[in-house]
Amino acid sequence: MALDTYKSVVALAGGVGGAKLADGLARLLPPGALTVIVNTGDDFRHYGLAISPDLDTVMYTLGGVANIVNGWGLEGDSQQMLGMMRQYGDDAWFGLGDKDLATHLLRTQWLEEDITLTEVTQRLSKALGIQSRILPMSDNSIPTVINTAEYGELTFQEYFVRYRWQPTVAPIVIRGESTSPIMYDGEAIMTDEGVSALQNADLIVFCPSNPMLSIDPILNAEPCRDLIENRSVPCVAVSPLIGGQAVKGPAAKLMKELGMEVSSNSIAHYYEGLIDGIVVDRADQVDADRALKVLPADILMRNVEDRARLAGEILEWMTSWTR
C-alpha cells in the first residue's frame, strides 16, 4: 500500500518524543490523514490560565514553531514576564514564555465561553497552518496525580517540573494492598472526535511517549482501551527507550521505581493485548518467542529528517503485514 492511500492514521502522543514522531507522520501522510490524540492528564491552572503542555508541544511541533533545543515552548521566545514575577517574590517555577502566553490566554478565554477544549485546539492549530487533527483525549479535566515517598500526592506538573521528576513514586496502600502510585482525579471520557478517529483508523501508532505518564491517561479515557483492544487494524508502539535509557524524561526512573525491568522488552509486556508490533532501537531486544512483530530501527530523532525517516520506516513496515 502506498503511503498516499492512507485515509486515517491515529497516533497517541504526549511529550517531546511523541510530538516528534507525530510530526514525522504528518510530513509523510496526505494532508488531513493524521489524527493525533494527545494526553491532557498534565493540564493544569497556573496564574489563572488554562495550561495544556502536551497539546501545546504537539501543536507547536507540527506547526514548525517549537523551540529547537528544548522541544517544548516556542522558538525565539523570552521569559520577561517570569522575571518580573520573581522580582515580585513569586517562585515562578513553571516556564511560561512571553509569546506562549498568547496561547494560554486565548485558551482560557474560550474555555470560559463554554467552547470545548477540542474546538479550542482546532482554532489554535488552524491558525498555525496545521493540516493534521490534534485532539485532546478528553474535553473534561482529568489531572494525573502521582503519589511520592517524599511529598505525598503531587499534581503532574509539580512532580515533573517543580521537583524535576526526582521524587520517588510510591504505591498507595489501601487495606494492606498496594495499588498504582499514578492516579486520575476524575472520570475520563474520550471525545466523540477521538472515538470516531479510532473507529475509522487504518493504522494506530503509540508514539515513543512515556507509557505510564503519557499513553496510559489516554487509554484510561473511556472507551479508548476497549476500542484499541477490539480493533480490526494494525497497532504498533514505538519504544521510548534506547539501550535501557530514556531519551528524555523520567520513563526509565519511573519503571525502576515501579519494579519493572528497564527495557524495550518490558515496554512490549506493558502494552500486551493492545499492540501487534513494537519498534525498538537496534541496541535493544524483545523476546524472540513473543507473538509481537518487532522492527529494529534507529529511533533517535535528532532532526526533522530523522522524524520523517523513522515515520516512513514504521508506515512501510506496517503495510507489509496485517493482523
Side-chain angles (χ1 to χ4, degrees):
M1 183 186 292
L3 298 186
D4 61 4
T5 64
Y6 282 121
K7 304 299 182 185
S8 179
V9 175
V10 176
L12 273 57
V16 173
K20 287 181 177 180
L21 182 58
D23 182 52
L25 292 167
R27 290 172 182 273
L28 297 184
L29 291 167
L34 176 67
T35 297
V36 190
I37 301 177
V38 183
N39 168 46
T40 57
D42 58 353
D43 289 14
F44 74 129
R45 287 271 175 168
H46 194 54
Y47 300 133
L49 300 176
I51 315 292
S52 296
D54 275 1
L55 278 174
D56 291 344
T57 296
V58 172
M59 186 174 67
Y60 293 162
T61 302
L62 268 63
V65 295
N67 182 288
I68 297 172
V69 175
N70 295 331
W72 51 267
L74 288 161
E75 183 64 22
D77 210 351
S78 57
Q79 293 190 341
Q80 295 185 59
M81 182 276 291
L82 287 184
M84 194 66 191
M85 295 293 286
R86 294 187 182 102
Q87 186 171 335
Y88 284 132
D90 188 80
D91 187 11
W93 54 271
F94 189 81
L96 294 173
D98 297 326
K99 292 194 294 185
D100 186 41
L101 281 172
T103 303
H104 310 313
L105 285 165
L106 284 174
R107 178 187 292 119
T108 304
Q109 176 181 316
W110 288 335
L111 288 175
E112 290 176 354
E113 294 172 0
D114 291 328
I115 298 170
T116 66
L117 183 58
T118 295
E119 175 60 27
V120 168
T121 305
Q122 294 311 297
R123 289 186 182 186
L124 296 171
S125 297
K126 184 178 179 180
L128 292 176
I130 299 170
Q131 294 181 303
S132 302
R133 280 201 307 172
I134 301 174
L135 299 176
M137 67 187 196
S138 180
D139 282 329
N140 56 315
S141 175
I142 327 97
T144 299
V145 179
I146 301 170
N147 192 56
T148 67
E150 296 87 348
Y151 303 101
E153 293 184 7
L154 295 175
T155 63
F156 179 88
Q157 295 304 333
E158 288 176 318
Y159 166 78
F160 191 78
V161 178
R162 189 167 201 166
Y163 296 109
R164 302 180 184 276
W165 45 272
Q166 292 312 297
T168 305
V169 296
I172 306 292
V173 178
I174 301 175
R175 297 176 182 173
E177 295 183 4
S178 293
T179 61
S180 172
I182 302 168
M183 302 153 284
Y184 307 105
D185 187 10
E187 184 179 8
I189 304 297
M190 176 161 272
T191 65
D192 291 342
E193 292 84 354
V195 169
S196 177
L198 287 170
Q199 289 174 332
N200 294 288
D202 298 320
L203 303 171
I204 302 171
V205 180
F206 292 5
C207 290
S209 306
N210 187 307
M212 291 72 67
L213 298 179
S214 293
I215 302 298
D216 259 2
I218 303 174
L219 295 172
N220 184 57
E222 295 290 344
C224 182
R225 184 179 293 273
D226 287 343
L227 288 173
I228 294 175
E229 286 179 344
N230 297 298
R231 71 195 177 279
S232 59
V233 298
C235 178
V236 301
V238 182
S239 174
L241 303 177
I242 297 178
Q245 298 294 323
V247 176
K248 195 178 183 72
K253 175 178 177 289
L254 186 58
M255 290 172 72
K256 187 179 297 183
E257 291 168 357
L258 293 177
M260 300 168 60
E261 176 189 81
V262 184
S263 69
S264 290
N265 192 56
S266 189
I267 300 292
H269 277 287
Y270 194 83
Y271 287 139
E272 192 166 0
L274 293 169
I275 60 174
D276 304 295
I278 186 167
V279 183
V280 303
D281 193 76
R282 298 185 195 281
D284 297 314
Q285 293 183 340
V286 173
D287 291 343
D289 60 349
R290 176 175 296 280
L292 289 179
K293 296 175 175 64
V294 180
L295 175 66
D298 177 4
I299 64 174
L300 183 62
M301 293 174 283
R302 307 168 187 83
N303 48 46
V304 294
E305 290 78 18
D306 280 343
R307 300 174 194 177
R309 171 194 53 77
L310 180 59
E313 290 176 7
I314 294 168
L315 292 171
E316 291 289 355
W317 177 57
M318 293 179 74
T319 61
S320 69
W321 48 274
T322 57
R323 295 188 70 231

